[in-house]
Amino acid sequence: MPERKDQERFIHIIVSVAALGGLLFGYDTGVISGAILFIKKSFSLSPQLQEIVVSAVLVGAVIGAVTGGRLADRFGRRRLIILSAVIFSIGAVATALTPLISLLIAGRIVVGIAIGIASFIAPMYISELAPARVRGSLVSVNQLAITVGIVVSYLVDYAFSGLGAWRMMLGLAAVPSIILALAMWRLPSSPRWLVARGSMDKARNVLGRIRRSSEIDAEVKEIERSLEKQKGSGVLLSHPMLRMALFVGIGLAVFQQLTGINTVIYYAPTIFEFAGFKTAGFSILATVGVGLVNVAFTLLAIRLIDRVGRRPLLLVGVAGQIVGLVILGLAFQLHQLARFIGYIAVASLAIYVASFAIGLGPVFWLMISEIYPLKVRGAAMSLATVVNWGVNLAVAVTFLTLVGAVGRPGTFWIYAGIGIAAWLFFYFLVPETRGKSLEEIEDHWHAGKHPRELSRQPGRE
Ligand code: BGC
């Protein structure tokens, strides 16, 4: 069926382009770990200023996520992706060329704003174009791109570290961002956003390129019908179960970060140093290894997420993170294990990251693109995203202080304890969205049903 093949190819192009947003997200959060070593020398930075340079991106991301939601509802997903790519390019070039530390910090905030926007707009755009039966894996391609971006940034840091070329490290991000802006220009708007705006013909045109002709009418009708139900203001808070959707999204956002993933992504070399590895070479190698485990298990999640569903991956994943953290804490606590601590640290971090990559990594961004009503999707996703970046920032700036205050074992056990709370939250409150259309998920909230009942209904696709 050539029509079908062409459509699939087109969807894959759309997903690959939009996921460049994820690549930039990963690259720009990872690149600073290596670059900061040289920036510090160039500008003779105090530890406080170094911290500011590193966390400026996170502050920017919070700003971007706050402002992005309403823009997404108003101007559309496609335009907002283009805008974020343009902001990325400006930030990347500015940070690469700046003669002043103040401009470097400002540039990092600008880059952060773009990341904050891209982090939720790319999953939203993909989710609204994807057929329900493969939506999980298509949206998770964005998470894959984040993990690839992180590994690429480590490798670029490594490649340029001999020359100390931190400007190259930061500036290179301009290349994919320019490609993203140009490629996105040629791609269609989200059909759901078009229907919400009343642009029916355009929506049908877009659907005509990605769905069988027999499916188009039914899909447009279904979107219209669910919009009809959302008439009236304050829709997001008007219904207890919609408040529940908001609560679930925020819970996922908090726990994705509060279980400590970015202490590993940002501080893996420090953790390996705690475990007795002194050579920089080993630290870099082990850090790249952690990054590759992240990529590999995200690939596995992509294969599984539409087959076994979101909930099993989430629950197994968080359980695995808890196991990794408990072992890591034990390794630091028990003196009998001192001889093996290096190996145990590597193995437990690998278990921990692999578990994040099959669960909370992809599932958080996917779920927040699925569970909110179309009419307020931008605003609601942006709220969950703000919380995610805000907690990310809080964990990043408190990790070393926490280690100082409660010790290494205590720190990892605190994250493990939060993991247990996360597991219970997910078990009782997270719905199974596998195979459901976005409109079926909305209907479920409007019917006032509990999130967990969703999985028990037969899907329509
Ligand atoms: C998280 C990031 C994290 C990354 C690691 C993303 O889903 O939001 O905070 O650094 O995964 O792969």
Side-chain angles (χ1 to χ4, degrees), residues 25 29 143 146-147 150 256-257 261-262 265-266 294 356 360-362 364-365 388-389 392:
F25 171 168
T29 48
Q143 174 69 18
I146 297 174
T147 63
I150 292 173
Q256 195 208 35
Q257 296 299 327
I261 182 62
N262 286 314
I265 301 291
Y266 304 156
N294 199 7
F356 173 85
L360 261 174
F364 163 64
W365 295 108
N388 187 270
W389 284 107
N392 185 338

Side-chain angles (χ1 to χ4, degrees), residues 263-341:
T263 62
V264 177
I265 301 291
Y266 304 156
Y267 292 105
T270 311
I271 299 176
F272 290 128
E273 215 177 86
F274 289 164
F277 292 105
K278 293 283 178 254
T279 64
F282 177 83
S283 281
I284 293 172
L285 206 67
T287 307
V288 172
V290 163
L292 288 175
V293 169
N294 199 7
V295 173
F297 280 81
T298 307
L299 272 171
L300 182 63
I302 289 179
R303 289 191 66 84
L304 294 176
I305 205 156
D306 289 310
R307 294 190 199 163
V308 302
R310 287 61 162 151
R311 276 177 59 88
L313 291 188
L314 198 55
L315 295 173
V316 169
V318 176
Q321 283 181 269
I322 297 169
V323 171
L325 288 166
V326 169
I327 300 178
L328 194 59
L330 280 177
F332 284 118
Q333 173 78 20
L334 300 175
H335 299 296
Q336 302 89 305
L337 295 179
R339 272 189 2 187
F340 309 104
I341 188 162

